[in-house]
Amino acid sequence: MAAEMTLPLPAKRARQASRAEFGDRLFVVGGKWLWLLLLGIAVLLPLLAIFWRGFSAEAGQGGGWLAARELVASANFHWLLGNSLKVSLSVAAIVVPLAYLFAYALQRTLIPGKSLWRGLSLLPLMAPSMLPGIALVYLFGNQGMLRGLFTENIYGFWGIVLGEVIYTFPHALMILLSALSLADARLFDAASSMGASPAKAFRSITWPATRQAVFAAFCLVFTLTITDFGVPVVVGGDYQVLALEAYKAVVGQQQFGRGALIGMVLLLPALFSFGVDAWLRRRHGDSMSGRAQVFKPAPSRRRDACYLAIVLLICAALLLVFGMAVYSSLVKFWPYNLSLSLNHYQFNDTAGGGWLAYRNSLTMALCTALIGSVLIFTGAYLMEKTSGQRGLNLALRMLSFVPMAVPGLVLGLGYVFFFNLNGNPLHVFYGSMALLVVCTIAHYLTTAQMTATTALRQLDAEFEAAALSLKAPLYRHYLRVTLPICLPALLDIVRYLFVSAMTTVSAAIFLYSPDTILAAVAVLNMDDAGNVGGAAAMSTLILFTSAGVSLLLAWASRGLLRRSQAWRQTAPGH
């Protein structure tokens, strides 16, 4: 006993240092290899499976190059492709200018109520893509409330375009808001002193700084539209598009090879847009220097009145659509009995999944938000804040950016082809809630990781250097220092993943089982069964749940952020 108590102090410190070094190596190297394994299973292998399925000449597969050439050369494919391109280009041409005007009004004018208008503009993010289509049916359908305003039937090209415009508007808006928030006041002061008009200052300063973001928004809207089948299912009518054809080939006709070939075609515009956007980013360079001054718009009644009118019109259109969806979910029997009732919310009495689908969506959204945020933030930390393993870091970064260029429809098809393979030991997960969670995390991985990376890059490397000099384990420093400092970004990731999981349908449509059906999928099933009121009710429930959880998380996080972010507050007397 005495010998143990007289153990030299340097020996104890050496043993502690050795344990800390081993723990750090296990945390860093082991964590990176584990993250690489997860990304390989969740991202890489499903994409390879879809190419194998599409080009395989075996019986029951895609049919090889011969089948691909026959598909591309067929008149039906040309018709579908032409319809998809026409719709996608039309939606992008409408959405991007509207989103630019809206973002400019929020960032470069002095209109009142900016937080309210911004909140209303993000409503489409909190509902499945079918909701705008359902609302348009009640507004402009054969028995719609405003049917007389349209000479043509809403079912077809214009129905898809209007529905996709509403669905994709907030996605373009977020990109343009970020671009217009960066402005150097010195440039505008110099332009004003040289006698340049506001229009000249816009052409020479604002537009060059934001045109890359405009192209990025155009590419994003184009990709979202050409790969979405939610709106075409509801209001497409006889106007067919490629995404809907892929959905029908796999779900309705069990033609997996045809679905794989169409999925690869849908992957091309996304890859092209991603590549061109990355090339433009490298050429664009930094738009602001470290000595830039914050831009504050000057008062202008005429300008603010014009932009306020634009914002009010766009928000009124969004409120009309979503208000109509909520109202239609409460109407007893449209259009013959307009009395209000909760009959459509009795999901157990109707086909489509019932309350089980809603509970499953809540479960999946919570698991996706909690597990996904921890995995994504930890993976970003290991790539950004640890040294060594350059090749491993490069592979992790490449795989982390792949989902940004892969539409959810294509990713879902890849999951079907990979996890449903006979002999694959991971086949046991097919149709399970775990696979739905993994697919959803992989689908929205890139945006969440970019959020985490942006927050981590703002931290000085001296934090990790101090931890190493004190012989403190790196994982302890990560838990006690990095996480509390980056808590705002982590909560943003949690909120983003939850809302995305509640509203996703493009990837999950191929992966659910009768026991794991989701609320967004139930909306699609009820609409197919002719229960449009029930579909509107389930969509409304998803909308209110997403908005309610977002507000609850924002409210609950205030106290948490106040305690963990006390260092950000200004000291008394300063």
Side-chain angles (χ1 to χ4, degrees):
M1 180 66 69
E4 292 180 4
M5 295 183 65
T6 58
L7 186 67
L9 187 59
K12 288 184 178 181
R13 290 179 177 174
R15 182 176 298 177
Q16 292 175 354
S18 177
R19 290 177 179 174
E21 183 179 353
F22 175 76
D24 286 350
R25 185 166 182 81
L26 182 64
F27 174 60
V28 175
V29 181
K32 288 181 180 180
W33 279 107
L34 177 61
W35 189 227
L36 181 65
L37 175 64
L38 294 176
L39 288 177
I41 294 174
V43 177
L44 182 60
L45 292 179
L47 291 180
L48 294 178
I50 197 172
F51 281 97
W52 170 80
R53 190 70 178 251
F55 291 127
S56 176
E58 298 178 9
Q61 306 300 327
W65 289 100
L66 180 60
R69 286 197 299 269
E70 291 179 355
L71 173 67
V72 174
S74 65
N76 182 62
F77 176 81
H78 293 164
W79 177 65
L80 293 171
L81 180 62
N83 289 349
S84 296
L85 292 176
K86 184 179 178 182
V87 167
S88 301
L89 291 173
S90 300
V91 172
I94 295 172
V95 168
V96 174
L98 289 178
Y100 195 96
L101 291 172
F102 201 101
Y104 193 91
L106 294 181
Q107 297 289 359
R108 302 293 178 89
T109 70
L110 297 175
I111 63 172
K114 290 184 178 181
S115 58
L116 175 62
W117 311 133
R118 182 168 184 174
L120 291 176
S121 68
L122 299 180
L123 278 177
L125 291 177
M126 300 184 181
S129 61
M130 292 81 70
L131 182 59
I134 293 171
L136 289 175
V137 170
Y138 281 102
L139 283 171
F140 308 112
N142 294 330
Q143 297 176 325
M145 184 177 291
L146 304 177
R147 175 67 179 90
L149 297 180
F150 274 80
T151 56
E152 297 182 3
N153 198 310
I154 191 64
Y155 299 98
F157 172 77
W158 284 111
I160 299 176
V161 168
L162 289 176
E164 297 290 1
V165 164
I166 297 168
Y167 168 60
T168 58
F169 177 79
H171 296 84
L173 178 64
M174 289 190 296
I175 294 177
L176 297 172
L177 279 174
S178 177
L180 286 166
S181 65
L182 301 176
D184 191 347
R186 299 176 302 169
L187 297 177
F188 291 91
D189 292 340
S192 178
S193 64
M194 296 175 65
S197 64
K200 177 65 175 177
F202 174 84
R203 291 194 302 269
S204 59
I205 302 174
T206 303
W207 174 248
T210 57
R211 59 189 175 190
Q212 191 274 333
V214 170
F215 178 79
F218 188 95
C219 291
L220 177 62
V221 171
F222 180 88
T223 303
L224 288 174
T225 303
I226 202 172
T227 58
D228 177 61
F229 60 88
V231 173
V233 162
V234 179
V235 292
D238 295 331
Y239 197 89
Q240 302 293 301
V241 292
L242 277 175
L244 184 57
E245 181 68 16
Y247 164 71
K248 293 194 301 183
V250 175
V251 176
Q253 304 166 1
Q254 299 295 303
Q255 297 180 0
F256 294 102
R258 180 177 176 85
L261 291 174
I262 297 176
M264 287 188 291
V265 173
L266 292 174
L267 186 61
L268 294 178
L271 290 175
F272 174 77
S273 300
F274 180 76
V276 175
D277 181 57
W279 177 68
L280 288 176
R281 285 180 186 273
R282 286 196 298 268
R283 294 193 60 186
H284 184 65
D286 296 329
S287 59
M288 292 186 68
S289 68
R291 295 187 299 272
Q293 298 178 5
V294 178
F295 173 77
K296 295 182 180 180
S300 174
R301 278 190 172 185
R302 185 176 180 181
R303 178 204 63 196
D304 294 347
C306 292
Y307 278 99
L308 180 60
I310 295 173
V311 168
L312 287 175
L313 285 175
I314 294 175
C315 288
L318 293 176
L319 283 176
L320 175 64
V321 170
F322 285 89
M324 191 66 218
V326 175
Y327 173 68
S328 63
S329 70
L330 297 172
V331 170
K332 184 172 289 187
F333 186 54
W334 184 276
Y336 306 106
N337 186 353
L338 300 181
S339 60
L340 301 183
S341 170
L342 294 176
N343 290 342
H344 292 308
Y345 289 86
Q346 297 176 3
F347 300 121
N348 290 332
D349 298 334
T350 60
W355 287 102
L356 173 65
Y358 179 71
R359 291 194 298 270
N360 286 339
S361 282
L362 279 180
T363 301
M364 190 191 76
L366 287 172
C367 293
T368 300
L370 297 178
I371 298 174
S373 59
V374 171
L375 288 175
I376 293 171
F377 193 87
T378 304
Y381 175 82
L382 294 175
M383 284 186 284
E384 295 296 328
K385 292 299 181 179
T386 60
S387 57
Q389 302 89 37
R390 293 183 58 184
L392 188 56
N393 286 344
L394 180 61
L396 288 173
R397 285 192 173 92
M398 291 179 61
L399 285 177
S400 298
F401 273 92
V402 167
M404 178 178 285
V406 179
L409 178 69
V410 178
L411 185 64
L413 286 172
Y415 269 64
V416 173
F417 301 144
F418 175 68
F419 287 94
N420 201 28
L421 276 176
N422 292 327
N424 186 349
L426 298 176
H427 176 74
V428 295
F429 294 104
Y430 189 74
S432 67
M433 182 62 68
L435 188 61
L436 287 169
V437 171
V438 170
C439 181
T440 307
I441 293 174
H443 185 195
Y444 300 102
L445 167 69
T446 305
T447 302
Q449 174 151 331
M450 290 173 66
T451 303
T453 300
T454 302
L456 288 167
R457 286 178 177 174
Q458 294 176 356
L459 302 182
D460 200 309
E462 292 181 358
F463 284 103
E464 283 71 27
L468 292 175
S469 65
L470 294 172
K471 306 299 182 183
L474 194 60
Y475 65 86
R476 188 176 299 168
H477 165 79
Y478 167 69
L479 294 174
R480 295 185 177 180
V481 179
T482 305
L483 278 180
I485 292 177
C486 297
L487 190 58
L490 184 61
L491 292 175
D492 286 341
I493 294 173
V494 171
R495 182 164 47 246
Y496 169 75
L497 291 177
F498 181 89
V499 172
S500 300
M502 282 297 299
T503 59
T504 186
V505 67
S506 57
I509 189 67
F510 304 114
L511 303 176
Y512 72 93
S513 68
D515 294 330
T516 59
I517 186 172
L518 302 175
V521 177
V523 173
L524 195 61
N525 293 341
M526 284 188 282
D527 182 77
D528 285 341
N531 184 12
V532 185
M538 184 66 80
S539 298
T540 301
L541 197 59
I542 295 173
L543 172 65
F544 285 160
T545 301
S546 301
V549 170
S550 298
L551 293 174
L552 182 63
L553 186 59
W555 173 80
S557 63
R558 286 183 180 179
L560 186 60
L561 290 177
R562 192 178 298 113
R563 290 193 297 270
S564 64
Q565 306 289 300
W567 57 277
R568 295 181 185 269
Q569 300 175 14
T570 304
H574 289 75

